[in-house]
Amino acid sequence: MAPPAPPPPPPMCFPFSSNRSRFKQASPLVRTDSEKSDANSYGPDNTSYYSQHSGERSPARSRQSGNLVRSGSVSTTRTLTSDRDQEKLQFDSDSEPYDVPALPNNRSQSKISHLSRDASKGSLVRTDSKRSARWGYGWGIGKAKERERELLDRSPSVNSERPPLPQYDSPTRSSSRSSRSKRPPFYSNDSSSTLVGSAFERKINDVESIKERIDTAERLEQIRKLMMKDNLDYYVVPSEDAHQSEYVSAGDKRREWISGFSGSAGQAIISKTAAYLVTDSRYWLQARAELDPNWYIITAGAVDAPKDWIDWLVDRAKNTKVGIDARMISHEKATRLNTLLNAKGSKLIFPPQNFIDLCWKNKPPRSKEPVFIQSIEFTGRETSSKIAEIRQWIRSQPPAVIPYSKSPPSPAQAHVGTLITSLSNLAYLLNLRGSDIPFNPLFYAYLFISIDRAILFLDAAKVTDDIEDYLRAHKIERRDYNDIWPFLRRREWGEGRLLINAETSYAISLMLTHFRYTVVPSLVDNMKAVKNEVELEGLRRAYLRDGAAYVRWLAWLEHKIRQGYDITEYEAAWRLTEYRRQNKHYWGLAYENISASGPNAALPHYSPSKSTAKMIDRETPYLSDSGAQYRDGTCDTTRTVHFGRPTQDQSEAYTRVLQGHIAVDSVIFPEGTTGAQLDVLARRALWKDGLNYLHGTGHGFGSFLNVHEGPHGFSSNVPLVPGHVITNEPGFYLEGKWGMRIESALCVRRVRTKGEFSGDIWLGFERLTCVPIQTRMVKENMLTKEEKQWLKDHNKKCLERLEPFLKEDKRALKWLKREAERGIGIAAPGPGGITIDWD
């Protein structure tokens, strides 16, 4: 019989101290490549918004040694560079003791009465206890005085034997005391054992993560003064950078600077009298929290609302002038917008300088971190081979002859080269990676390729001796990043036209004029999307290591919650990152952790901040969508679990989501089938009950590149081919209540069928993700025989494949075996409402 739930803890309170130097950071992990690693609108009037903060440093390559050094820091996007020894990241469980910094010295006397000071060494010594303290994090939680008295009664002498105390050295903070201090570890009786190493210090001392909502009135006034000079009615500030990147660097967050909104998607539009933010449903709540009263939210995609910012702007434009930086809008969008505006007597204006850059006084400079080589052991294909394929493609393009012309093609109509502006595409072609973009191992550059010439426009500060030798060996010239503009203006390639794709910056189109370029689909997108055998094998290995980390984390999370601890969404996400950081080839996160419980899980792209994260609810599903960047692959996994007894509605919805997931995973289809044609399989079971989800069913992903890749996907009309990798992630979200999603990565492969109709043309999916799917919320009587067998086989396969990785972690291995062997669903309540959970 399950015991009654413990009472909720009293509110926890950690005092903020201005003397941050007393808190020290543990030294970072170090990983090297020698290991072979790595229109409805709302006027916002809300309270201040707080966002998480993490320190970041960048990778560095020694010019002398050529060794690439990465470390396991607390950064979500990148890791610290350090020559320090590897930090001991061990966790507190039946099989894993671990060391965590002790309580800082500036706590109040009432909070440290159970500590004694060793006068000779000047260090605090933590006394022992027998009973486990539960419900919450840290010190000063629960009945403090009773705890202190209880601890003092059981405390041994300060002179009693203890294990050697670890030395902690802060690489970033100084102290008025000694720069090196001895601090004892926490023992298993401390509620702070839910935190690890640097996570505890972030919880206590991360004061700088609190961000007040900015007042944008003065900034908007500066922009409007510049608008008056050019007689503009509107000025648009997009989210993208000059390369149309999904994520942008700190210096390219212009829309965030002018509005205060930090979401990854949305356009700021400033008029003479008002300011508007146009964003989709993923970010409505976040925008209301972050925007000040100077802004109005345009809920793009809502009922009776515009589809996107272009529709909203065109609907209002009549004999108006709209300004935008031509670098920050793609050729495709600018062409569409121009056509729609001209029909209403309006025009698009491109001021020579970006208004935000003129007003942003402390704008972060462009990154100077060096690029590094992604070796052949990870890419499976040499740079010279990829460039040769591009040149063959250029030769195959027909000249741009006017359709009705009978004259032979002139040299000016021949295609002589291509300009590649997508950062992921040029990183793929050159087998190079960098650290300029959060979550993506990319660097700012342009790449020109002609029949007999290749030029990389990359700042000299980012080029090491190794990179210079590498470029020279592949006959690639290097010029500074900004030299792309005089190169285009002078037409240095001579006569002929350049091939560009629709996502190229419109500024480049304007510089070339329409006589000197042709817009074509990107060949590199297709090359990058079809993974070779080396890349596929790397992804298989990466998903195994990532799956092991995910299982260790799930086992830890369930263990702590069953002990009675309250864990926040934020801390749960960070603990998962700590587990991943120990993996071979780990480089950083692939995107912000989505860690959501209760109503937050109903927001598909909710990412918790430390100060506003809610405790993980035992009555509703908990959703974790996260991924990591490894040198041999990019991972993206989602699992939804329940730590209590799911309701009937939750179980039915989760079962429908699982049925859609299984239907996509097990489908067999002929060559030429597109992802869009298979999308209905993921929704069919949900549609039976009148349920649905409004996001896509899945997307392509990279090999140590972007987590979102095209051109294929379950919303795309591009046929799936062997070598494509794609995610399978149906879900369901009950607004204001709870949400759920199951996501696994798949690889398209050829399959043998019984009939072999039309020959060897049949395709299916190979599952890369190796994380069990919880059966607690599944209703067995809703599943078919085949679906039940699929679920059991999947969890058993996870046990077989992950067991070798978890031999040293008894808790995780025990959890994994239980999940592989347990039945489907949970027992219904008996007479009198009595429930029995055999787990």
Side-chain angles (χ1 to χ4, degrees), residues 321-580:
K321 293 183 178 180
V322 179
I324 191 171
D325 186 338
R327 298 173 301 160
M328 309 304 164
I329 186 171
S330 68
H331 173 90
E332 180 183 33
K333 288 182 180 177
T335 303
R336 175 189 164 205
L337 182 57
N338 251 329
T339 302
L340 295 172
L341 288 176
N342 289 340
K344 305 197 67 173
S346 302
K347 62 173 62 176
L348 205 53
I349 305 295
F350 305 104
Q353 290 181 291
N354 188 290
F355 288 178
I356 304 298
D357 292 347
L358 292 174
C359 301
W360 194 350
K361 294 181 181 179
N362 299 317
K363 184 174 178 288
R366 188 181 300 149
S367 168
K368 289 181 171 54
E369 296 302 325
V371 301
F372 56 93
I373 299 169
Q374 177 77 339
S375 65
I376 189 70
E377 69 175 300
F378 298 122
T379 64
R381 189 178 180 187
E382 291 283 3
T383 296
S384 56
S385 171
K386 297 177 183 179
I387 293 178
E389 183 174 346
I390 295 295
R391 286 176 170 152
Q392 183 60 37
W393 172 69
I394 294 171
R395 292 188 187 97
S396 68
Q397 299 301 305
V401 179
I402 300 174
Y404 52 81
S405 175
K406 297 182 180 179
S407 303
S410 66
Q413 293 172 325
H415 293 107
V416 298
T418 184
L419 184 64
I420 298 168
T421 63
S422 165
L423 301 186
S424 61
N425 284 358
L426 64 89
Y428 165 81
L429 277 180
L430 299 178
N431 289 343
L432 296 176
R433 301 293 188 268
S435 305
D436 293 356
I437 305 291
F439 306 112
N440 302 313
L442 306 176
F443 55 95
Y444 283 114
Y446 294 96
L447 179 62
F448 168 80
I449 299 176
S450 67
I451 301 301
D452 56 0
R453 195 178 182 190
I455 305 174
L456 177 64
F457 296 88
L458 174 69
D459 285 338
K462 305 176 72 63
V463 180
T464 64
D465 293 339
D466 288 344
I467 297 300
E468 286 182 355
D469 294 340
Y470 179 82
L471 295 177
R472 194 178 301 114
H474 289 89
K475 299 179 181 180
I476 300 172
E477 303 175 46
R478 189 201 62 80
R479 298 192 187 182
D480 283 344
Y481 177 75
N482 287 328
D483 285 348
I484 183 65
W485 304 109
F487 173 81
L488 295 175
R489 185 171 58 251
R490 296 168 186 162
R491 315 286 194 268
E492 292 188 27
W493 59 91
E495 282 192 295
R497 301 169 70 103
L498 296 187
L499 298 161
I500 65 173
N501 65 57
E503 292 301 312
T504 301
S505 162
Y506 195 58
I508 291 175
S509 303
L510 293 174
M511 183 69 72
L512 289 172
T513 74
H514 70 277
F515 295 108
R516 306 305 296 268
Y517 69 84
T518 301
V519 179
V520 293
S522 171
L523 172 66
V524 186
D525 280 346
N526 292 311
M527 292 171 59
K528 181 178 62 176
V530 180
K531 307 296 186 284
N532 60 47
E533 284 304 316
V534 172
E535 291 173 314
L536 290 175
E537 189 56 37
L539 283 166
R540 293 184 185 105
R541 292 194 302 266
Y543 270 96
L544 277 178
R545 296 193 306 273
D546 196 69
Y550 210 103
V551 165
R552 293 178 66 200
W553 169 75
L554 281 173
W556 166 84
L557 183 59
E558 182 179 296
H559 174 72
K560 289 300 178 183
I561 287 180
R562 290 198 172 192
Q563 281 187 322
Y565 291 105
D566 274 333
I567 311 293
T568 70
E569 301 162 323
Y570 176 82
E571 292 297 345
W574 270 102
R575 175 54 76 96
L576 176 54
T577 301
E578 296 285 351
Y579 277 115
R580 281 182 163 133

Side-chain angles (χ1 to χ4, degrees), residues 43 57 69 94 98 101 253 338 377 383 386 391 426 551 562 578 598 620 630 680 693 697 728 760 820 826:
R57 295 187 188 175
V69 180
D94 52 348
Y98 76 97
K253 293 184 177 180
N338 251 329
E377 69 175 300
T383 296
K386 297 177 183 179
R391 286 176 170 152
L426 64 89
V551 165
R562 290 198 172 192
E578 296 285 351
T620 57
Y630 300 98
V680 67
Y693 54 95
T697 298
N728 170 21
D760 186 19
I826 57 176

Side-chain angles (χ1 to χ4, degrees), residues 282 285 569 594-608 614-617 619-625 638-642 650 657 693 695 730-742 777:
R282 297 174 297 169
L285 294 179
E569 301 162 323
I594 297 172
S595 173
S597 180
N600 291 337
L603 306 172
H605 286 260
Y606 166 83
S607 184
K614 75 185 299 289
M615 295 293 181
I616 293 176
D617 188 1
E619 305 302 319
T620 57
Y622 168 66
L623 187 156
S624 172
D625 183 344
T638 306
R639 289 294 183 264
T640 304
V641 295
H642 204 296
Q650 292 168 3
V657 171
Y693 54 95
H695 58 74
F732 176 71
Y733 314 93
L734 186 60
E735 184 177 358
K737 300 292 184 180
W738 41 264
M740 51 190 59
R741 182 164 65 252
I742 305 173
M777 279 189 289

Side-chain angles (χ1 to χ4, degrees), residues 815-832:
W815 181 93
L816 181 59
K817 288 180 178 178
R818 187 201 71 196
E819 290 300 305
E821 296 168 0
R822 79 184 302 276
I824 298 175
I826 57 176

